[in-house]
Amino acid sequence: MTFEQIKSFLAIVKYNHFTLASQELYISQSSISKHIKSLEKELGVELFNRQHRSIKLTDAGEEFYKFAQKSMADYKNILSDMKKYSCEESSSISIGVIDTMVEYGIAALISDFQKQYPNIQVDLIERSNCKITEYLYDSVINLGFINSHYEHKNLLSLQKILNDDLVLVTSVKHNFAKRESIDIFDTSKEKYICVNGDNYLHNVFLSTWGNLNYFPNILYIDSQTKTLLALVSENIGITLLPYNVASSYQKDFDNSIHICNLQSPFSANIFIAQLKNKKLSKNETLFKEFAVNWFGKSKFSPK
């Protein structure tokens, strides 16, 4: 029995679907099927009832599920505990970043950090806001840059490092393209597009319409900012983005997107995050202190 098999089993239980489980683990569907078949052969029981497109745990599967959850929790805990022995000697650290960090100089930050600490390699893991948070919980990484904290503030230690104004972004074909500013209430009937895991829209809508239990129509996509703006440029919907992110993409789309200021301003904040009570390695602490100081001198630093 291997932890890869247990991970596959837990992912299938989580999604009730082999394909979604394989996507979660970044392996092929055939590989995840082999993991389960090997596991069932070793245990001598069937863990899942497979009927047509339905997947359901057997009684044996239900019992194994309890074991698998505890085993994976113990595995993650021991990995975390062992890091205190290995990280001090390690010459590399892994940092989670959302894709919009490139617009705020993340590459320059890494360059300046490695000039001062040439023996420390920084590996960037670019993922969605939610995935970076998940990686922090699972100790895949110990530091990450995220753009939302409300639902995680009890578990994460956060330090605000960037502040930007949110703007409305539309196609130049849209009626709003004739306006330089707009009241957010005027957009209530519009179709919005949002990248899964990023919470600019959600937080603005909650502030604007939350008491009315109303949210505009939102299309969520599993992609990055450039794809989001490609859809907006084709007038499929509108979106909210930090000004510096939206403006940096205008030339990429031959000025086919329009930026409109919000009459009631909303801020887009970015935080450097770690788990509360999580001890960082010496190299991670050096990077965090350097990043906070570096961004503190930038034009985007929070006032």
Side-chain angles (χ1 to χ4, degrees):
M1 185 184 304
T2 67
F3 280 105
E4 284 71 23
Q5 291 171 335
I6 294 176
K7 286 180 182 178
S8 295
F9 171 81
L10 290 173
I12 294 169
V13 175
K14 177 181 178 180
Y15 291 104
N16 199 32
H17 200 286
F18 275 76
T19 301
L20 294 179
S22 66
Q23 292 174 352
E24 166 82 6
L25 299 176
Y26 297 101
I27 61 176
S28 66
Q29 187 172 342
S30 61
S31 294
I32 206 169
S33 296
K34 288 178 182 178
H35 286 169
I36 299 304
K37 288 180 181 178
S38 297
L39 187 58
E40 289 178 327
K41 183 177 180 180
E42 180 179 352
L43 296 172
V45 296
E46 288 191 352
L47 299 173
F48 296 98
N49 282 323
R50 305 167 179 84
Q51 296 180 349
H52 302 293
R53 296 184 178 180
S54 175
I55 302 173
K56 187 177 180 181
L57 283 172
T58 62
D59 290 341
E62 293 282 1
E63 186 168 344
F64 184 78
Y65 179 56
K66 298 175 185 176
F67 165 81
Q69 284 184 306
K70 184 178 184 304
S71 297
M72 190 53 61
D74 290 343
Y75 175 66
K76 289 176 180 177
N77 287 337
I78 196 62
L79 285 181
S80 178
D81 290 343
M82 291 299 102
K83 282 187 176 181
K84 65 186 177 185
Y85 299 106
S86 63
C87 285
E88 298 299 327
E89 301 299 326
S90 174
S91 61
S92 66
I93 56 175
S94 296
I95 308 296
V97 296
I98 49 179
D99 72 312
T100 52
M101 283 301 297
V102 69
E103 313 306 332
Y104 298 105
I106 188 68
L109 164 66
I110 302 303
S111 175
D112 288 347
F113 177 77
Q114 294 198 315
K115 287 175 185 175
Q116 185 164 335
Y117 301 100
N119 294 324
I120 303 177
Q121 175 180 319
V122 181
D123 298 324
L124 296 182
I125 300 176
E126 186 176 281
R127 295 289 188 273
S128 68
N129 201 72
C130 287
K131 182 60 70 173
I132 291 172
T133 304
E134 181 182 321
Y135 281 3
L136 288 169
Y137 290 162
D138 291 343
S139 295
V140 176
I141 56 175
N142 291 326
L143 281 175
F145 294 96
I146 62 175
N147 63 21
S148 178
H149 71 290
Y150 299 105
E151 63 270 48
H152 308 293
K153 60 184 179 181
N154 293 328
L155 297 173
L156 296 179
S157 173
L158 301 131
Q159 187 159 356
K160 189 190 297 185
I161 57 167
L162 294 173
N163 186 68
D164 203 352
D165 289 331
L166 284 177
V167 292
L168 186 75
V169 186
T170 75
S171 166
V172 293
K173 305 171 188 175
H174 196 283
N175 291 334
F176 291 160
K178 300 176 182 178
R179 305 176 65 165
E180 295 302 317
S181 66
I182 193 167
D183 190 315
I184 192 69
F185 282 101
D186 293 343
T187 71
S188 62
K189 302 300 181 182
E190 298 295 320
K191 180 179 181 179
Y192 276 88
I193 309 175
C194 178
V195 173
N196 268 332
D198 289 332
N199 299 290
Y200 298 127
L201 289 174
H202 179 82
N203 293 334
V204 170
F205 292 166
L206 198 61
S207 299
T208 305
W209 290 290
N211 292 333
L212 303 176
N213 294 318
Y214 173 78
F215 271 61
N217 180 24
I218 307 176
L219 168 65
Y220 291 97
I221 60 172
D222 286 311
S223 191
Q224 294 185 326
T225 304
K226 191 168 185 178
T227 301
L228 165 67
L229 288 174
L231 296 173
V232 170
S233 71
E234 294 296 332
N235 207 23
I236 295 173
I238 63 177
T239 196
L240 293 176
L241 283 176
Y243 170 76
N244 286 280
V245 174
S247 61
S248 70
Y249 279 101
Q250 273 191 313
K251 291 182 180 179
D252 291 347
F253 291 96
D254 297 323
N255 294 314
S256 61
I257 57 175
H258 173 71
I259 296 174
C260 188
N261 294 319
L262 297 177
Q263 292 172 3
S264 297
F266 292 90
S267 291
N269 301 316
I270 293 180
F271 306 83
I272 187 166
Q274 68 181 90
L275 282 181
K276 285 185 177 179
N277 303 318
K278 179 76 172 183
K279 184 178 180 181
L280 300 177
S281 71
K282 179 181 178 181
N283 292 344
E284 289 166 339
T285 300
L286 286 173
F287 178 83
K288 181 179 180 180
E289 292 174 350
F290 187 92
V292 169
N293 183 61
W294 192 91
F295 281 114
K297 298 176 182 177
S298 79
K299 64 179 180 179
F300 308 110
S301 62
K303 302 296 187 281

